[in-house]
Amino acid sequence: MLEVRGVDARYGDAQALWGVDLEVAPAETVCIVGPNGAGKTTLVQTIAGLHRAAAGTITVDGVDIAALPGHRVCDHGVATVPEGRRVFGHMTVRDNLLLGAYRPKARAAHRETEAQVYDLFPRLKERARQHAGSLSGGEQQMLALGRALMALPRLLLLDEPSLGLAPVIVDEVFDAIAAVTATGVGVLLVEQDVERALSAASRGYLLIEGRIAAAGPTADLRDRADVRERVLGM
Ligand code: ATP
């Protein structure tokens, strides 16, 4: 479904990604692991249309989205949960969710999707009328995930979903990611908790200094010396 081929990204004169190749299929969780500054966030933002690729193609179901701005990338079934969640604190939980359903197809289905999101995260249903700013960090992560699901994505991009959350809440968030994948959505996951990322994903990519240094089933990646040294700290 998602195919990234030969993608470069730059910040002015500094090149952050070099010829990145990557794929995500439907109903698959794929992780990107790598040391700090490797370019993981840049890669997610480039796929999401928030940072323009300097070279290469990014296709979703065969359509090249590399030159599209973020809001047009959403039209192709790609939803992003950015690092730091970015929910609207002064709006209610429900209104935050409805914001995710702005595409016509998603708007038409919003009642059904909202019920599915509440099934996945009962806590959001309990707090539907509260301001999002009053939620805990874990609840805000669930809300950010729920808001992305309201867009009826085929591909979900997740940047650091566990950041700053208590382990028990992280378990819940990852259970939800597994449930979402089981519905047929492809998930591309950037996660600083590498052990968790390797457990949650079936395949992964090791990104080092903006280049894919290794790719394969996560069980194989875990055993590689470069993964153990560079990202697992062994
Ligand atoms: P981390 O795990 O620390 O978040 P990362 O793997 O997500 O790191 P990026 O944040 O994508 O890495 O950064 C990749 C490179 O691009 C780094 O060298 C970083 O300094 C640089 N970079 C990132 N954002 C910018 C920016 N807005 N302007 C200039 N350089 C940037």
Side-chain angles (χ1 to χ4, degrees), residues 19 25 33 51 58 77 86 113 140 144 162 169 180 224:
V33 297
H51 188 85
I58 302 170
R86 315 236 185 104
T113 323
Q140 289 190 14
S162 84
I169 305 295
V180 169
R224 285 181 58 111

Side-chain angles (χ1 to χ4, degrees), residues 34-74:
N36 287 344
K40 303 180 295 294
T41 295
T42 303
L43 179 53
V44 166
Q45 291 195 341
T46 305
I47 296 167
L50 304 174
H51 188 85
R52 178 70 64 92
T57 58
I58 302 170
T59 58
V60 175
D61 294 332
V63 179
D64 192 355
I65 59 163
L68 300 181
H71 65 280
R72 297 290 318 283
V73 169
C74 300

Side-chain angles (χ1 to χ4, degrees), residues 194-195 198 206 214 217-229 231-232 234:
V194 178
E195 275 295 350
L198 293 175
L206 171 65
T218 45
D220 297 350
L221 282 182
R222 198 191 296 271
D223 291 335
R224 285 181 58 111
D226 47 5
V227 173
R228 297 172 78 81
E229 281 164 25
V231 294
L232 286 169
M234 291 174 172

Side-chain angles (χ1 to χ4, degrees), residues 5-12 14-19 42 46 51-58 66-67:
R5 291 282 170 261
V7 162
D8 291 353
R10 299 173 177 281
Y11 294 100
Q15 188 157 347
L17 296 177
W18 305 74
T42 303
T46 305
H51 188 85
R52 178 70 64 92
T57 58
I58 302 170

